[in-house]
């Protein structure tokens, strides 16, 4: 990855996502400080690729904001970011994380995009004693899906995002304001998210007066939901909650239209968080409801660029020509927190020292405060969630409007909950 020599020799940062430019080392031969390595595992291809659309933009931001150097203990330290594609496959995520650890010898690992990516990467880091910071994986599937013990926690791995308990209460605050018969059909697959949601969500849903119609777990990939739709129709379901990748939801929603199933409330997790997830449905996506973990309206700023949430969204839209979405804030924040960790590390040659800095984080990011000592579980930090719905847009075909902020009143609302027409 790196070549260092005497006069005239160059240090070259390689890799598709290397941040910074080549540096020249002149003068007498000496051991220059080694380049720090940050590993990143991302689902760049496959059904979870929607989660990676902001990565090229954010990597360019990192390069411009840092010049490929971090100021640590008064000195500049070069770094490079090594990106590996999980291909939306947990086994592949584990494999490439192992490569980054054992072959590339990264100083800190980063991961995002659902437990299918984050959990296997975290497990590899825990196994090999490498610090890992992650986000965009709900806390219960990340912690309990990895057999976490609340009395012990983990040693090397840390994750910040919403909790399943938090998000269902935020959704219920919105759902109860939409007129339905409170019969809720659910599509919870046999994966980390589906199994965790099936365990955590029923009690508060029932407590809020909803009846759950659950046809049971199913394996992914799936290409037929006729049995589930029939069960929903037979039970008179008027509200639906799904947590499936985009291909499965597309099959479900298209089949629903063909079979005359027209719920008044639909919350498609892993799909409606992203403009590319809802655009293909056109007007059939109007009033899709979804949890909102970040938006241009969130009252937080970046410690890396100084940008407000609105300024970050505006820059992305100007540079990319695409609509900003909630994943942007968390991709940006992932590097904020990785850099904050490295800057506070006392001995960058010891993984234990990097781990200690990560453990002791108390940082204000563009997605909100991150402090791993506050929980709700060991090694986790909770970020705020509000409720939103997709509406006909003015600048973009569909735009996400925050319609309920009961559990995060610092985030302003822009409309009221409405049923699907």
């Amino acid at each position: 990855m790196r070549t260092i020599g005497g006069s005239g020799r160059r240090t070259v940062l390689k890799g598709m996502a290397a941040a910074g430019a080549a540096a020249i080392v002149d003068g007498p031969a000496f051991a220059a400080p080694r380049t720090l390595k940050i590993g990143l595992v991302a689902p760049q291809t496959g059904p979870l690729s929607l989660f990676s659309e902001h990565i090229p933009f954010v990597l360019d931001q990192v390069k411009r904001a840092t010049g490929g150097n971090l100021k640590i203990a008064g000195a500049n330290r070069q770094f490079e970011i090594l990106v590996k594609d999980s291909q939306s496959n947990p086994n592949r995520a584990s494999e490439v994380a192992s490569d980054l650890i054992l072959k590339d010898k990264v100083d800190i690992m980063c991961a995002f995009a659902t437990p299918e990516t984050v959990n296997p990467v975290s497990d590899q880091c825990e196994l090999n004693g490498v610090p890992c910071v992650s986000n965009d994986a709900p806390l219960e599937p990340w912690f309990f899906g990895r057999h976490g013990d609340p009395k012990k926690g983990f040693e090397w791995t840390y994750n910040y995002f919403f909790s399943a308990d938090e998000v269902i209460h935020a959704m219920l605050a919105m759902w109860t304001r939409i007129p339905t018969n409170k019969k809720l059909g659910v599509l919870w697959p046999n994966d980390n998210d589906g199994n965790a949601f099936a365990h955590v969500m029923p009690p508060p849903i029932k407590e809020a007066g909803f009846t759950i119609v659950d046809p049971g777990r199913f394996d992914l990939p799936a290409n037929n939901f006729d049995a589930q739709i029939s069960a929903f129709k037979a039970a008179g379901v008027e509200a639906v909650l799904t947590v499936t990748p985009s291909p499965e939801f597309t099959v479900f929603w298209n089949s629903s239209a063909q079979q005359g199933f027209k719920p008044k409330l639909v919350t498609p997790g892993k799909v409606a968080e992203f403009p590319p997830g809802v655009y293909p449905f056109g007007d059939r996506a109007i009033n899709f409801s979804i949890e909102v973990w970040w938006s241009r309206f969130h009252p937080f700023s970046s410690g890396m660029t100084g940008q407000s949430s609105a300024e970050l969204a505006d820059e992305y839209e100007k540079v990319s020509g695409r609509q900003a979405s909630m994943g942007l804030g968390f991709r940006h924040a992932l590097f904020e927190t990785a850099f904050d960790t490295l800057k506070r590390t006392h001995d960058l040659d010891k993984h234990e020292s990097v781990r200690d800095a990560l453990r002791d984080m108390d940082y204000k990011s563009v997605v909100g405060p991150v402090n791993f000592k506050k929980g709700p579980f060991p090694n986790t930090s909770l970020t705020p969630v509000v409720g939103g719905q997709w509406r006909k847009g003015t600048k973009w075909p569909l735009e996400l409007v925050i319609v309920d902020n009961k559990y995060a009143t610092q985030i302003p609302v822009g409309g009221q909950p409405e049923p699907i027409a």
Side-chain angles (χ1 to χ4, degrees), residues 311-385:
E311 289 168 340
L312 175 60
D314 286 343
E315 184 192 353
Y316 176 77
E317 292 182 350
K318 181 179 179 180
V319 169
S320 70
R322 297 192 298 270
Q323 184 177 3
S325 64
M326 59 186 85
L328 171 62
F330 276 84
R331 304 306 160 261
H332 183 100
L334 190 57
F335 292 105
E336 285 190 80
T337 48
F339 294 157
D340 175 69
T341 299
L342 293 173
K343 287 177 179 179
R344 290 182 296 101
T345 297
H346 296 300
D347 187 344
L348 289 164
D349 292 322
K350 292 182 179 179
H351 284 320
E352 291 85 356
S353 187
V354 178
R355 182 226 26 227
D356 291 349
L358 179 55
R359 177 197 63 204
D360 295 339
M361 180 175 293
D362 185 7
Y363 180 80
K364 294 181 179 178
S365 79
V366 77
V367 300
V370 181
N371 185 322
F372 293 115
K373 294 185 177 180
K374 292 189 175 181
F377 314 113
N379 305 73
T380 67
S381 183
L382 198 63
T383 54
V385 174

Side-chain angles (χ1 to χ4, degrees), residues 384-403:
V385 174
V386 291
Q389 287 187 303
W390 289 93
R391 302 274 164 81
K392 273 283 191 184
T394 53
K395 181 178 180 181
W396 305 98
L398 294 164
E399 294 175 356
L400 191 57
V401 176
I402 294 171
V403 297

Side-chain angles (χ1 to χ4, degrees), residues 230-314:
S230 295
F232 293 164
K233 290 175 69 176
V237 162
E238 291 186 351
V240 172
L241 168 62
T242 72
V243 57
T244 67
S246 183
E248 280 73 20
F249 178 76
T250 298
V251 172
F252 167 75
W253 195 231
N254 288 343
S255 297
S256 295
Q258 293 165 5
Q259 296 176 39
F261 175 53
K262 299 179 179 179
K264 299 176 181 178
L265 185 162
V266 176
T267 299
K270 294 189 178 179
V271 175
E273 292 88 349
F274 313 103
V278 296
Y279 280 175
F281 302 109
D283 287 352
R284 294 176 59 228
I286 293 176
N287 286 333
F288 274 178
S289 57
I290 197 67
E291 81 284 347
V292 182
W293 7 291
W294 181 83
S295 73
R296 63 170 55 250
F297 307 110
H298 279 52
F300 309 122
S301 298
S302 166
M304 179 170 64
T305 64
Q307 291 172 302
S308 67
S309 293
E311 289 168 340
L312 175 60
D314 286 343

Side-chain angles (χ1 to χ4, degrees), residues 9-37:
R9 297 291 181 91
R10 294 179 182 270
T11 298
V12 182
L13 305 185
K14 299 179 180 179
M16 65 164 287
I24 302 175
V25 180
D26 290 310
F30 65 94
R34 66 180 179 82
T35 298
L36 301 173
K37 294 182 178 181

Side-chain angles (χ1 to χ4, degrees), residues 1 37-41 82-87 90-109 120-121 123-125 127-128 130 351:
M1 285 292 175
K37 294 182 178 181
I38 301 169
L40 175 66
V41 179
L82 308 177
V83 184
K84 297 284 188 179
D85 182 10
S86 73
Q87 301 173 2
N91 293 330
R92 174 69 178 174
S94 180
E95 179 185 332
V96 297
S98 179
D99 286 346
L100 286 166
I101 293 167
L102 300 177
K103 295 180 181 178
D104 297 310
K105 303 198 180 297
V106 295
D107 295 282
I108 189 170
M109 185 78 76
V121 174
D123 285 344
Q124 281 295 324
C125 290
L127 178 67
N128 289 286
V130 171
H351 284 320

